[in-house]
Amino acid sequence: MSEDPRAADLVTSIIVLAQSLGLTVVAEGVENAQRLDQLTLSGCDQAQGFYISKPLPASDLNAWLTRDSPEPNPPWRKPVINKRRG
């Protein structure tokens, strides 16, 4: 997405189309902060990938969700900005 503006436009168009059909958009394979930020600005509803968390057992999920992070705004706490919905 970051290397090709056409790819970013395509991703944004897919997000808008899916949301206009009443679907929730989940981006898979998010591996870095830049990609998460691009998806957030494009209006993506949710994301998953190694940047957010490596796979972990269900028994560890609660601890992961409630842990303190050294980052001021860890990726799992970032608000989703959706241009269409305001």
Side-chain angles (χ1 to χ4, degrees), residues 6 45 48 72 75 77:
R6 294 177 305 157
D45 298 304
Q48 65 182 40
R77 291 189 185 144

Side-chain angles (χ1 to χ4, degrees), residues 3-56:
E3 300 82 27
D4 185 351
R6 294 177 305 157
D9 290 343
L10 179 60
V11 168
T12 300
S13 296
I14 291 168
I15 291 169
V16 170
L17 174 62
Q19 290 172 341
S20 73
L21 296 171
L23 301 173
T24 299
V25 180
V26 180
E28 295 187 7
V30 177
E31 295 185 3
N32 59 52
Q34 181 182 14
R35 186 64 38 91
L36 180 62
D37 289 343
Q38 289 173 326
L39 290 163
T40 300
L41 291 173
S42 293
C44 189
D45 298 304
Q46 299 174 9
Q48 65 182 40
F50 285 167
Y51 176 67
I52 297 167
S53 176
K54 303 284 190 229
L56 55 106

Side-chain angles (χ1 to χ4, degrees), residues 47 52-53 56-69 74-77:
I52 297 167
S53 176
L56 55 106
S59 59
D60 294 344
L61 180 60
N62 193 46
W64 180 84
L65 289 171
T66 58
R67 72 184 171 139
D68 290 330
S69 172
W76 60 92
R77 291 189 185 144

